[in-house]
């Protein structure tokens, strides 16, 4: 009975539509237009599956509800389909030159086999993008550097810092210390001191916090 209800709904949505591509687009459009995106969902009534409750009762859910519903409707129309889970989007952090991929970027969509090719469809309605403040991006960059250079200080990072500190001593001019060489030496000493001060400061702060 449950499968028959889903099949009847899929047939109603795609009535009068011939090509499978257009059928899939019609189902995706129907879900986007008639359902509400929400991360807060209640447990379905006894004997009712979460997808059945989503399609016929609450009409409210998140990406997995949308993708699974579309896949079931496509299969009822004899169109092979599958649900794909992954990450969609991400945000470039200008402070560290890397891309932030959060758990909130996790997403589900549908792939349907049409004309011997897997075509991608996303039936989930678009949600307003939430951009973090510049301060939060800066703090994220500090946390990344802390994790890399203090918590998970790799041998490669160690070699890079040692090479940087030893650079003034590898210069070819040994007959006398010139002004450029002296600047390099000061830079190396200052960099090493800054790394040590940062390490001990955060270590002291971490001990007080935890």
């Amino acid at each position: 009975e449950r499968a028959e209800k889903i099949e009847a709904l899929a047939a109603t949505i795609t009535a009068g539509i011939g090509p499978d591509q257009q059928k899939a687009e019609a189902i995706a459009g129907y879900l986007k237009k008639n359902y509400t995106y929400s991360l807060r969902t209640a447990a379905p009534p006894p004997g009712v599956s979460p997808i059945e409750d989503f399609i016929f009762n609450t009409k409210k859910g998140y990406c997995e509800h949308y993708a699974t519903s579309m896949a079931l409707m496509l299969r009822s129309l004899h169109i092979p389909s599958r649900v794909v889970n992954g990450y969609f989007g991400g945000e470039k952090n200008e402070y560290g030159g890397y891309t932030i991929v959060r758990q909130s970027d996790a997403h589900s969509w549908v792939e349907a086999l049409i004309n011997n090719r897997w075509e991608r469809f996303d039936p989930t309605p678009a949600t307003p993008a939430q951009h973090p403040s510049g301060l939060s991006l800066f703090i994220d960059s500090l946390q990344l550097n802390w994790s890399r250079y203090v918590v998970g200080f790799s041998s490669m990072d160690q070699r890079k810092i040692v090479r940087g500190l030893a650079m003034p001593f590898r210069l070819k001019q040994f007959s006398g210390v010139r002004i450029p060489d002296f600047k390099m030496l000061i830079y190396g000493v200052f960099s090493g001191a800054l790394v040590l001060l940062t390490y001990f400061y955060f270590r002291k702060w971490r001990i007080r916090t935890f």
Side-chain angles (χ1 to χ4, degrees), residues 75-86:
R75 291 175 185 177
S76 72
L77 299 175
H78 307 289
I79 301 175
S81 60
R82 60 192 181 190
V83 176
V84 182
N85 297 315

Side-chain angles (χ1 to χ4, degrees), residues 54-197:
F54 166 74
I55 295 176
F56 300 106
N57 299 328
T58 65
K59 297 186 177 182
K60 181 186 297 184
Y62 42 89
C63 57
E64 290 181 350
H65 291 94
Y66 287 88
T68 304
S69 299
M70 181 176 179
L72 291 176
M73 284 191 274
L74 287 174
R75 291 175 185 177
S76 72
L77 299 175
H78 307 289
I79 301 175
S81 60
R82 60 192 181 190
V83 176
V84 182
N85 297 315
Y87 288 86
F88 180 78
E91 183 170 7
K92 184 68 176 291
N93 191 334
E94 300 296 338
Y95 292 101
Y98 60 91
T99 301
I100 303 173
V101 180
R102 303 178 177 86
Q103 184 60 36
S104 58
D105 295 315
H107 192 55
S108 297
W109 59 92
V110 175
E111 288 184 352
L113 187 61
I114 299 175
N115 297 326
N116 294 322
R117 291 183 57 185
W118 287 102
E119 301 289 345
R120 180 178 178 229
F121 299 91
D122 192 350
T124 305
T127 56
Q130 297 180 355
H131 299 287
S133 63
L135 178 60
S136 63
L137 292 176
F138 178 70
I139 293 176
D140 187 270
S141 176
L142 290 179
Q143 291 175 340
L144 177 66
N145 289 327
W146 169 259
S147 299
R148 177 180 178 184
Y149 295 111
V150 178
V151 178
F153 196 44
S154 66
S155 59
M156 180 179 296
D157 295 325
Q158 296 175 26
R159 288 195 295 269
K160 286 182 179 179
I161 289 183
V162 170
R163 283 198 298 266
L165 295 177
M167 185 178 296
F169 302 99
R170 295 201 306 267
L171 298 178
K172 296 181 178 180
Q173 299 89 347
F174 288 102
S175 57
V177 179
R178 299 182 181 181
I179 294 179
D181 301 343
F182 181 74
K183 288 183 178 180
M184 293 286 290
L185 177 61
I186 294 298
Y187 174 77
V189 173
F190 177 77
S191 300
L194 183 61
V195 171
L196 291 175
L197 287 175

Side-chain angles (χ1 to χ4, degrees), residues 1-8 52 56:
E1 182 182 355
R2 185 179 306 166
E4 292 176 355
K5 290 173 61 177
I6 294 176
E7 182 179 356
E52 182 183 3
F56 300 106

